[in-house]
Amino acid sequence: MAMALPLAYASSVVHPFEAGRLSFSTKATKHKKQIYQFRNVTKVLAYYGLTNPPYKLDALEPYMSRRTLELHWGNIHRGYSDSLNKQLANSPLYGCTMEELIKTTFNNGNPLPEYNNAAEVWNHDFFWESMQPNGGRLPWGGVLDQIEKDFGSFSNFRDEFVHSAMMLFGSGWVWLVLKTNERRLSIVRTSNALCPLVWGDIPIISLDMWEHAYYLDYKDDVSKYVNNFMDHLISWHSATARMVRAEAFVNLGEPKIPVA
Amino acid sequence: MVETLPIVFCRIIGARVTPPRLNPKACGRSAMALRTLFSKKAFTTASGFRPIAAGDRCFLRQARGLTVAALPDLAYDYGALEPAISGEIMRLHHQKHHQAYVTNYNNALEQLETAVAKGDASAVVRLQSAIKFNGGGHINHSIFWKNLKPVNEGGGEPPHSTLGWAIDTDFCSLEALVQKMNAEGAALQGSGWVWLALDKGSKKLCVETTANQDPLVTKGANLVPLLGIDVWEHAYYLQKRNESARVQPVLLGPKAYDLHTGTDEAFTFILSPQVHTL
């Protein structure tokens, strides 16, 4: 598969019958179609399906083993998704896109119980798509230009990202975000399930610093994990696609078009 | 204490430490070492704090009167807690994670001392989070090692006498307590600890959780930790591979925990005003 569409694109093509469903899983699609074929269905079901990573589970070897992904995606991510669906079964919060759900349940700093599960589902989806087999190395084009503009050089950015990851106490995530107010790229470190979406910023790349993400492969050697992520796993294709979408929301200035 | 003497002795001999106020030329090396051992700073309270014999840095610290933290030794082998906790996890947990907390705590303390001496208030405040995290990690893990005992030495037996009665009074039964601690551990988001604590004020047992490496005192100055369970993923992930609940019943149940440790300490604590040191 050449490039995975970020979830954000999915939200813009929601069919009216399928409001509240955000899943690429074909099982869920068939299930929903079967339901809506019956005219007398009146209940709208909210269901957030577990999306698959856009690569096979062993595709990221040797930097992230198949076993890690089996557990991380299959148990942990799936667990969050199931818990979220259970919590939403009898809740008035349905019909939202995932991003809306996160912002609503965050409740400006007083998170509702669904927040943790919703944010973790979204965070993990984002994380799988932030990685690819044969990833890493350098970005190109607009993303590279923006990084060089905001951090000075790519190696400055890389060092800052690695440093931020090493400085995290406890569980959390490290993000490269496009700050909407400041109109620049920035590196942000969040704890537990916190997601920069709640501040209105647009994430471009994320790195899971919870121990379950690296412990099986790297044990306590965190710096090796982060460096491998930067050198071999990070998906600049996804980053480019996300930047393209982000520029629709944030004015990063006029491009230099040569005068004819 | 006696069994640690040879270890400290050997380290000191190997590292050529010069204790303060002694002329190195006048004393033989072993005499110097013994002087260090029996100096005022050598036998501070309990296991966690004793002088590290690591060369000049130690000397400088002792000369300034700064007591440093040291990695406490385990009372059992790394593999002695199998199959409840694997030897690999114990080794990594003790030698890598706990050691990292100790090292970073000592570094933070040194920087703090410098900042205080210079009167740099913003540096002092800035260092607080590192001290809380690493110092807390050291405290919590020191308690954790003492809470564990191999099965053949009595680990995992249900508590008797005062502690057993207190559990029955405050939680109805040991099973109820185990269930409660498991539930609290599973509900904890992110990394943290689950504690069986004694509330000195109300003289009752309670179950508390703390986030990251916060020590139990951050939840209340009256709380004494009796039993702590590390719910950070590094404590179990290698072995349990995230089976269902975060805290496995087998840990608290009949396999590895020695619940006796808490008994006498907790109740003498009520009776005497000594500070519960590590």
Side-chain angles (χ1 to χ4, degrees), chain A residues 37-87:
Chain A
Q37 272 158 15
F38 294 95
R39 295 287 174 138
N40 49 359
V41 167
T42 50
K43 192 173 168 199
V44 175
L45 298 170
Y47 180 79
Y48 294 90
L50 179 71
T51 61
N52 299 346
Y55 34 77
K56 285 214 165 83
L57 293 185
D58 57 2
L60 297 179
E61 299 260 9
Y63 308 107
M64 194 174 275
S65 65
R66 187 177 63 88
R67 184 70 183 143
T68 302
L69 279 173
E70 270 178 15
L71 291 167
H72 198 175
W73 172 72
N75 281 357
I76 296 179
H77 189 186
R78 191 188 299 273
Y80 282 124
S81 169
D82 292 341
S83 309
L84 178 65
N85 286 322
K86 258 192 235 144
Q87 273 178 329

Short mmCIF file of all heavy atoms in Angstrom, two decimals, chain A residues 37-87:
data_model
loop_
_atom_site.label_atom_id
_atom_site.label_comp_id
_atom_site.label_asym_id
_atom_site.label_seq_id
_atom_site.Cartn_x
_atom_site.Cartn_y
_atom_site.Cartn_z
N GLN A 37 -30.07 -1.89 5.42
CA GLN A 37 -30.94 -2.42 4.38
C GLN A 37 -32.35 -2.65 4.90
O GLN A 37 -33.30 -2.71 4.14
CB GLN A 37 -30.38 -3.73 3.82
CG GLN A 37 -29.42 -3.51 2.68
CD GLN A 37 -28.49 -4.66 2.48
OE1 GLN A 37 -28.73 -5.75 3.01
NE2 GLN A 37 -27.44 -4.46 1.70
N PHE A 38 -32.46 -2.77 6.22
CA PHE A 38 -33.79 -2.94 6.80
C PHE A 38 -34.40 -1.57 7.07
O PHE A 38 -33.85 -0.79 7.82
CB PHE A 38 -33.71 -3.74 8.09
CG PHE A 38 -33.25 -5.15 7.87
CD1 PHE A 38 -31.92 -5.49 8.01
CD2 PHE A 38 -34.15 -6.13 7.49
CE1 PHE A 38 -31.50 -6.78 7.80
CE2 PHE A 38 -33.73 -7.42 7.27
CZ PHE A 38 -32.39 -7.76 7.42
N ARG A 39 -35.54 -1.29 6.48
CA ARG A 39 -36.10 0.05 6.55
C ARG A 39 -36.50 0.43 7.95
O ARG A 39 -36.59 1.60 8.29
CB ARG A 39 -37.32 0.15 5.64
CG ARG A 39 -37.04 -0.02 4.18
CD ARG A 39 -36.35 1.19 3.64
NE ARG A 39 -35.94 1.01 2.26
CZ ARG A 39 -36.07 1.94 1.33
NH1 ARG A 39 -36.64 3.08 1.62
NH2 ARG A 39 -35.65 1.72 0.11
N ASN A 40 -36.88 -0.59 8.76
CA ASN A 40 -37.46 -0.21 10.04
C ASN A 40 -36.43 -0.04 11.15
O ASN A 40 -36.75 -0.08 12.32
CB ASN A 40 -38.52 -1.23 10.47
CG ASN A 40 -37.95 -2.64 10.34
OD1 ASN A 40 -36.82 -2.81 9.94
ND2 ASN A 40 -38.76 -3.62 10.65
N VAL A 41 -35.17 0.16 10.76
CA VAL A 41 -34.16 0.42 11.79
C VAL A 41 -34.21 1.90 12.14
O VAL A 41 -34.07 2.76 11.28
CB VAL A 41 -32.76 0.06 11.27
CG1 VAL A 41 -31.70 0.62 12.19
CG2 VAL A 41 -32.64 -1.44 11.16
N THR A 42 -34.42 2.21 13.40
CA THR A 42 -34.47 3.62 13.78
C THR A 42 -33.33 4.03 14.69
O THR A 42 -33.07 5.20 14.90
CB THR A 42 -35.78 3.93 14.53
OG1 THR A 42 -35.94 2.96 15.56
CG2 THR A 42 -36.96 3.86 13.58
N LYS A 43 -32.64 3.03 15.25
CA LYS A 43 -31.60 3.37 16.24
C LYS A 43 -30.28 3.61 15.53
O LYS A 43 -29.86 2.84 14.69
CB LYS A 43 -31.46 2.18 17.21
CG LYS A 43 -30.64 2.49 18.43
CD LYS A 43 -30.74 1.31 19.39
CE LYS A 43 -29.70 1.46 20.48
NZ LYS A 43 -29.43 0.19 21.14
N VAL A 44 -29.63 4.69 15.86
CA VAL A 44 -28.30 4.98 15.32
C VAL A 44 -27.28 4.42 16.29
O VAL A 44 -27.31 4.72 17.47
CB VAL A 44 -28.09 6.50 15.16
CG1 VAL A 44 -26.66 6.78 14.71
CG2 VAL A 44 -29.08 7.06 14.17
N LEU A 45 -26.38 3.61 15.78
CA LEU A 45 -25.36 3.04 16.64
C LEU A 45 -24.06 3.79 16.45
O LEU A 45 -23.65 4.04 15.33
CB LEU A 45 -25.13 1.57 16.28
CG LEU A 45 -26.33 0.65 16.46
CD1 LEU A 45 -26.03 -0.71 15.85
CD2 LEU A 45 -26.66 0.50 17.92
N ALA A 46 -23.45 4.14 17.55
CA ALA A 46 -22.13 4.75 17.46
C ALA A 46 -21.09 3.65 17.62
O ALA A 46 -21.15 2.86 18.54
CB ALA A 46 -21.94 5.78 18.57
N TYR A 47 -20.20 3.59 16.72
CA TYR A 47 -19.21 2.53 16.78
C TYR A 47 -17.91 3.03 16.18
O TYR A 47 -17.88 3.45 15.04
CB TYR A 47 -19.73 1.32 16.00
CG TYR A 47 -18.78 0.15 15.99
CD1 TYR A 47 -18.69 -0.69 17.09
CD2 TYR A 47 -17.96 -0.09 14.91
CE1 TYR A 47 -17.81 -1.74 17.10
CE2 TYR A 47 -17.08 -1.15 14.91
CZ TYR A 47 -17.00 -1.97 16.01
OH TYR A 47 -16.13 -3.01 16.01
N TYR A 48 -16.89 3.00 16.97
CA TYR A 48 -15.58 3.40 16.47
C TYR A 48 -14.78 2.13 16.25
O TYR A 48 -14.36 1.48 17.20
CB TYR A 48 -14.90 4.33 17.47
CG TYR A 48 -15.63 5.64 17.60
CD1 TYR A 48 -16.64 5.80 18.53
CD2 TYR A 48 -15.35 6.70 16.75
CE1 TYR A 48 -17.32 6.98 18.63
CE2 TYR A 48 -16.04 7.89 16.84
CZ TYR A 48 -17.03 8.03 17.78
OH TYR A 48 -17.72 9.19 17.87
N GLY A 49 -14.59 1.80 15.00
CA GLY A 49 -13.91 0.55 14.71
C GLY A 49 -12.42 0.66 14.91
O GLY A 49 -11.83 1.73 14.81
N LEU A 50 -11.81 -0.47 15.18
CA LEU A 50 -10.36 -0.51 15.32
C LEU A 50 -9.75 -0.50 13.92
O LEU A 50 -10.01 -1.41 13.14
CB LEU A 50 -9.97 -1.78 16.07
CG LEU A 50 -8.48 -1.98 16.27
CD1 LEU A 50 -7.96 -0.98 17.28
CD2 LEU A 50 -8.21 -3.40 16.76
N THR A 51 -8.99 0.52 13.60
CA THR A 51 -8.35 0.53 12.28
C THR A 51 -7.08 -0.29 12.32
O THR A 51 -6.46 -0.45 13.36
CB THR A 51 -7.99 1.96 11.86
OG1 THR A 51 -7.08 2.48 12.81
CG2 THR A 51 -9.22 2.83 11.80
N ASN A 52 -6.70 -0.78 11.14
CA ASN A 52 -5.46 -1.56 11.07
C ASN A 52 -4.30 -0.64 10.76
O ASN A 52 -4.47 0.35 10.05
CB ASN A 52 -5.54 -2.59 9.95
CG ASN A 52 -6.66 -3.57 10.17
OD1 ASN A 52 -7.22 -3.65 11.24
ND2 ASN A 52 -7.00 -4.29 9.12
N PRO A 53 -3.13 -0.97 11.23
CA PRO A 53 -1.97 -0.20 10.78
C PRO A 53 -1.81 -0.40 9.28
O PRO A 53 -2.13 -1.46 8.76
CB PRO A 53 -0.80 -0.82 11.53
CG PRO A 53 -1.38 -1.62 12.62
CD PRO A 53 -2.75 -2.00 12.21
N PRO A 54 -1.30 0.60 8.57
CA PRO A 54 -1.22 0.49 7.12
C PRO A 54 -0.06 -0.37 6.62
O PRO A 54 0.51 -0.12 5.57
CB PRO A 54 -1.05 1.95 6.68
CG PRO A 54 -0.45 2.62 7.84
CD PRO A 54 -0.95 1.93 9.06
N TYR A 55 0.32 -1.37 7.39
CA TYR A 55 1.39 -2.27 6.97
C TYR A 55 1.21 -3.55 7.77
O TYR A 55 0.51 -3.57 8.79
CB TYR A 55 2.78 -1.68 7.23
CG TYR A 55 2.85 -0.82 8.48
CD1 TYR A 55 2.91 -1.40 9.75
CD2 TYR A 55 2.83 0.57 8.42
CE1 TYR A 55 2.92 -0.63 10.90
CE2 TYR A 55 2.85 1.35 9.56
CZ TYR A 55 2.89 0.75 10.79
OH TYR A 55 2.91 1.52 11.92
N LYS A 56 1.84 -4.60 7.30
CA LYS A 56 1.74 -5.86 8.04
C LYS A 56 2.48 -5.73 9.37
O LYS A 56 3.38 -4.92 9.51
CB LYS A 56 2.38 -6.99 7.22
CG LYS A 56 1.56 -7.46 6.06
CD LYS A 56 1.79 -8.96 5.87
CE LYS A 56 0.75 -9.57 4.98
NZ LYS A 56 1.05 -9.40 3.55
N LEU A 57 2.10 -6.56 10.32
CA LEU A 57 2.65 -6.41 11.67
C LEU A 57 4.14 -6.68 11.74
O LEU A 57 4.82 -6.24 12.66
CB LEU A 57 1.90 -7.33 12.65
CG LEU A 57 0.45 -6.95 12.88
CD1 LEU A 57 -0.16 -7.85 13.95
CD2 LEU A 57 0.32 -5.50 13.30
N ASP A 58 4.67 -7.42 10.76
CA ASP A 58 6.11 -7.67 10.83
C ASP A 58 6.88 -6.75 9.90
O ASP A 58 8.07 -6.95 9.66
CB ASP A 58 6.41 -9.14 10.51
CG ASP A 58 5.88 -9.53 9.15
OD1 ASP A 58 5.32 -8.65 8.45
OD2 ASP A 58 6.00 -10.71 8.77
N ALA A 59 6.23 -5.76 9.35
CA ALA A 59 6.87 -4.91 8.35
C ALA A 59 7.88 -3.96 8.94
O ALA A 59 8.70 -3.40 8.22
CB ALA A 59 5.81 -4.13 7.57
N LEU A 60 7.79 -3.73 10.25
CA LEU A 60 8.68 -2.75 10.84
C LEU A 60 9.90 -3.42 11.48
O LEU A 60 10.67 -2.76 12.18
CB LEU A 60 7.95 -1.92 11.90
CG LEU A 60 6.79 -1.08 11.39
CD1 LEU A 60 6.15 -0.34 12.53
CD2 LEU A 60 7.26 -0.10 10.34
N GLU A 61 10.06 -4.72 11.28
CA GLU A 61 11.24 -5.39 11.83
C GLU A 61 12.47 -4.79 11.17
O GLU A 61 12.43 -4.42 10.00
CB GLU A 61 11.17 -6.89 11.51
CG GLU A 61 9.98 -7.58 12.11
CD GLU A 61 10.32 -8.34 13.37
OE1 GLU A 61 11.45 -8.19 13.86
OE2 GLU A 61 9.46 -9.07 13.86
N PRO A 62 13.63 -4.79 11.78
CA PRO A 62 13.91 -5.18 13.16
C PRO A 62 13.76 -4.05 14.18
O PRO A 62 14.15 -4.21 15.32
CB PRO A 62 15.37 -5.61 13.08
CG PRO A 62 15.95 -4.68 12.06
CD PRO A 62 14.85 -4.39 11.07
N TYR A 63 13.18 -2.92 13.75
CA TYR A 63 13.15 -1.77 14.66
C TYR A 63 11.97 -1.82 15.59
O TYR A 63 11.97 -1.23 16.66
CB TYR A 63 13.16 -0.48 13.85
CG TYR A 63 14.29 -0.49 12.85
CD1 TYR A 63 14.06 -0.66 11.51
CD2 TYR A 63 15.61 -0.40 13.29
CE1 TYR A 63 15.10 -0.71 10.61
CE2 TYR A 63 16.66 -0.46 12.40
CZ TYR A 63 16.40 -0.63 11.06
OH TYR A 63 17.44 -0.69 10.17
N MET A 64 10.91 -2.50 15.15
CA MET A 64 9.78 -2.73 16.04
C MET A 64 9.26 -4.11 15.71
O MET A 64 8.81 -4.35 14.59
CB MET A 64 8.69 -1.67 15.81
CG MET A 64 7.66 -1.66 16.91
SD MET A 64 6.46 -0.34 16.78
CE MET A 64 7.32 0.99 17.58
N SER A 65 9.35 -5.01 16.65
CA SER A 65 9.11 -6.41 16.31
C SER A 65 7.63 -6.69 16.12
O SER A 65 6.76 -5.93 16.56
CB SER A 65 9.65 -7.31 17.42
OG SER A 65 8.92 -7.07 18.59
N ARG A 66 7.36 -7.81 15.48
CA ARG A 66 5.98 -8.22 15.22
C ARG A 66 5.27 -8.44 16.56
O ARG A 66 4.10 -8.09 16.71
CB ARG A 66 5.99 -9.49 14.38
CG ARG A 66 4.62 -9.93 13.90
CD ARG A 66 4.73 -11.15 13.01
NE ARG A 66 5.27 -12.29 13.74
CZ ARG A 66 4.54 -13.15 14.42
NH1 ARG A 66 3.23 -13.02 14.45
NH2 ARG A 66 5.10 -14.13 15.04
N ARG A 67 5.99 -9.01 17.53
CA ARG A 67 5.37 -9.29 18.82
C ARG A 67 4.91 -8.01 19.50
O ARG A 67 3.83 -7.94 20.07
CB ARG A 67 6.38 -10.04 19.70
CG ARG A 67 5.83 -10.48 21.03
CD ARG A 67 4.84 -11.58 20.88
NE ARG A 67 4.27 -11.95 22.16
CZ ARG A 67 3.00 -12.30 22.34
NH1 ARG A 67 2.17 -12.31 21.33
NH2 ARG A 67 2.56 -12.64 23.53
N THR A 68 5.78 -6.97 19.42
CA THR A 68 5.40 -5.68 20.01
C THR A 68 4.12 -5.18 19.39
O THR A 68 3.20 -4.75 20.08
CB THR A 68 6.51 -4.64 19.79
OG1 THR A 68 7.71 -5.11 20.35
CG2 THR A 68 6.16 -3.31 20.42
N LEU A 69 4.06 -5.22 18.04
CA LEU A 69 2.86 -4.72 17.38
C LEU A 69 1.65 -5.57 17.68
O LEU A 69 0.54 -5.06 17.86
CB LEU A 69 3.10 -4.64 15.87
CG LEU A 69 3.87 -3.40 15.43
CD1 LEU A 69 4.21 -3.48 13.96
CD2 LEU A 69 3.04 -2.16 15.69
N GLU A 70 1.86 -6.88 17.75
CA GLU A 70 0.73 -7.77 18.08
C GLU A 70 0.10 -7.37 19.40
O GLU A 70 -1.11 -7.32 19.55
CB GLU A 70 1.23 -9.21 18.21
CG GLU A 70 1.22 -10.00 16.94
CD GLU A 70 1.77 -11.41 17.13
OE1 GLU A 70 1.90 -11.86 18.29
OE2 GLU A 70 2.10 -12.03 16.13
N LEU A 71 0.98 -7.10 20.38
CA LEU A 71 0.46 -6.75 21.70
C LEU A 71 -0.01 -5.31 21.74
O LEU A 71 -1.07 -5.00 22.27
CB LEU A 71 1.55 -6.95 22.76
CG LEU A 71 1.89 -8.42 23.00
CD1 LEU A 71 3.16 -8.51 23.81
CD2 LEU A 71 0.77 -9.10 23.73
N HIS A 72 0.79 -4.42 21.16
CA HIS A 72 0.48 -3.00 21.24
C HIS A 72 -0.82 -2.70 20.50
O HIS A 72 -1.72 -2.04 21.00
CB HIS A 72 1.64 -2.21 20.62
CG HIS A 72 1.66 -0.76 21.00
ND1 HIS A 72 2.67 0.09 20.64
CD2 HIS A 72 0.79 0.00 21.69
CE1 HIS A 72 2.43 1.30 21.10
NE2 HIS A 72 1.29 1.26 21.74
N TRP A 73 -0.93 -3.20 19.27
CA TRP A 73 -2.14 -2.95 18.50
C TRP A 73 -3.24 -3.91 18.90
O TRP A 73 -4.36 -3.51 19.20
CB TRP A 73 -1.83 -3.09 17.00
CG TRP A 73 -3.04 -3.04 16.13
CD1 TRP A 73 -3.82 -1.96 15.85
CD2 TRP A 73 -3.63 -4.14 15.43
NE1 TRP A 73 -4.86 -2.32 15.02
CE2 TRP A 73 -4.76 -3.65 14.75
CE3 TRP A 73 -3.31 -5.49 15.32
CZ2 TRP A 73 -5.57 -4.46 13.96
CZ3 TRP A 73 -4.13 -6.30 14.53
CH2 TRP A 73 -5.24 -5.77 13.86
N GLY A 74 -2.88 -5.23 18.90
CA GLY A 74 -3.90 -6.24 19.11
C GLY A 74 -4.52 -6.23 20.49
O GLY A 74 -5.71 -6.44 20.64
N ASN A 75 -3.73 -6.00 21.52
CA ASN A 75 -4.28 -6.00 22.87
C ASN A 75 -4.59 -4.60 23.37
O ASN A 75 -5.70 -4.30 23.79
CB ASN A 75 -3.29 -6.66 23.84
CG ASN A 75 -3.35 -8.16 23.74
OD1 ASN A 75 -4.16 -8.68 23.00
ND2 ASN A 75 -2.51 -8.83 24.49
N ILE A 76 -3.58 -3.74 23.34
CA ILE A 76 -3.74 -2.46 24.01
C ILE A 76 -4.65 -1.54 23.23
O ILE A 76 -5.64 -1.00 23.76
CB ILE A 76 -2.36 -1.83 24.25
CG1 ILE A 76 -1.56 -2.73 25.19
CG2 ILE A 76 -2.50 -0.44 24.83
CD1 ILE A 76 -0.17 -2.24 25.48
N HIS A 77 -4.35 -1.34 21.94
CA HIS A 77 -5.16 -0.44 21.13
C HIS A 77 -6.58 -0.99 21.01
O HIS A 77 -7.56 -0.26 21.15
CB HIS A 77 -4.52 -0.31 19.74
CG HIS A 77 -5.14 0.74 18.88
ND1 HIS A 77 -4.78 0.93 17.57
CD2 HIS A 77 -6.10 1.66 19.13
CE1 HIS A 77 -5.49 1.91 17.06
NE2 HIS A 77 -6.30 2.37 17.98
N ARG A 78 -6.66 -2.29 20.82
CA ARG A 78 -7.98 -2.92 20.72
C ARG A 78 -8.75 -2.76 22.03
O ARG A 78 -9.94 -2.51 22.05
CB ARG A 78 -7.84 -4.40 20.37
CG ARG A 78 -9.15 -5.08 19.98
CD ARG A 78 -8.96 -6.57 19.84
NE ARG A 78 -7.99 -6.89 18.79
CZ ARG A 78 -8.29 -7.04 17.52
NH1 ARG A 78 -9.53 -6.92 17.12
NH2 ARG A 78 -7.35 -7.32 16.64
N GLY A 79 -8.00 -2.89 23.14
CA GLY A 79 -8.64 -2.73 24.45
C GLY A 79 -9.24 -1.35 24.62
O GLY A 79 -10.36 -1.18 25.11
N TYR A 80 -8.48 -0.33 24.22
CA TYR A 80 -9.01 1.03 24.31
C TYR A 80 -10.24 1.19 23.45
O TYR A 80 -11.23 1.83 23.84
CB TYR A 80 -7.95 2.04 23.86
CG TYR A 80 -6.89 2.33 24.89
CD1 TYR A 80 -5.54 2.17 24.59
CD2 TYR A 80 -7.22 2.80 26.16
CE1 TYR A 80 -4.56 2.44 25.53
CE2 TYR A 80 -6.25 3.07 27.09
CZ TYR A 80 -4.93 2.89 26.78
OH TYR A 80 -3.95 3.16 27.70
N SER A 81 -10.19 0.62 22.24
CA SER A 81 -11.31 0.75 21.32
C SER A 81 -12.54 0.06 21.88
O SER A 81 -13.65 0.62 21.85
CB SER A 81 -10.87 0.16 19.98
OG SER A 81 -11.92 0.02 19.12
N ASP A 82 -12.38 -1.14 22.42
CA ASP A 82 -13.53 -1.84 23.00
C ASP A 82 -14.09 -1.09 24.19
O ASP A 82 -15.31 -0.96 24.34
CB ASP A 82 -13.12 -3.26 23.42
CG ASP A 82 -12.80 -4.14 22.23
OD1 ASP A 82 -13.22 -3.79 21.11
OD2 ASP A 82 -12.13 -5.18 22.42
N SER A 83 -13.19 -0.59 25.05
CA SER A 83 -13.67 0.15 26.23
C SER A 83 -14.44 1.38 25.80
O SER A 83 -15.46 1.74 26.39
CB SER A 83 -12.52 0.61 27.11
OG SER A 83 -11.67 -0.43 27.39
N LEU A 84 -13.94 2.05 24.75
CA LEU A 84 -14.62 3.26 24.30
C LEU A 84 -16.01 2.93 23.82
O LEU A 84 -16.98 3.61 24.16
CB LEU A 84 -13.81 3.93 23.18
CG LEU A 84 -14.45 5.18 22.59
CD1 LEU A 84 -14.52 6.28 23.62
CD2 LEU A 84 -13.68 5.65 21.37
N ASN A 85 -16.13 1.87 23.03
CA ASN A 85 -17.44 1.52 22.51
C ASN A 85 -18.40 1.13 23.62
O ASN A 85 -19.58 1.47 23.60
CB ASN A 85 -17.32 0.39 21.49
CG ASN A 85 -16.75 0.89 20.18
OD1 ASN A 85 -17.07 1.99 19.75
ND2 ASN A 85 -15.92 0.11 19.55
N LYS A 86 -17.85 0.44 24.62
CA LYS A 86 -18.70 0.09 25.77
C LYS A 86 -19.18 1.33 26.49
O LYS A 86 -20.33 1.45 26.89
CB LYS A 86 -17.89 -0.77 26.75
CG LYS A 86 -18.22 -2.23 26.67
CD LYS A 86 -17.62 -2.97 27.84
CE LYS A 86 -16.77 -4.09 27.30
NZ LYS A 86 -15.60 -4.44 27.94
N GLN A 87 -18.25 2.27 26.67
CA GLN A 87 -18.62 3.49 27.41
C GLN A 87 -19.65 4.30 26.63
O GLN A 87 -20.53 4.93 27.21
CB GLN A 87 -17.40 4.37 27.62
CG GLN A 87 -16.63 4.04 28.86
CD GLN A 87 -15.40 4.91 29.00
OE1 GLN A 87 -14.81 5.32 28.01
NE2 GLN A 87 -15.01 5.20 30.21
#
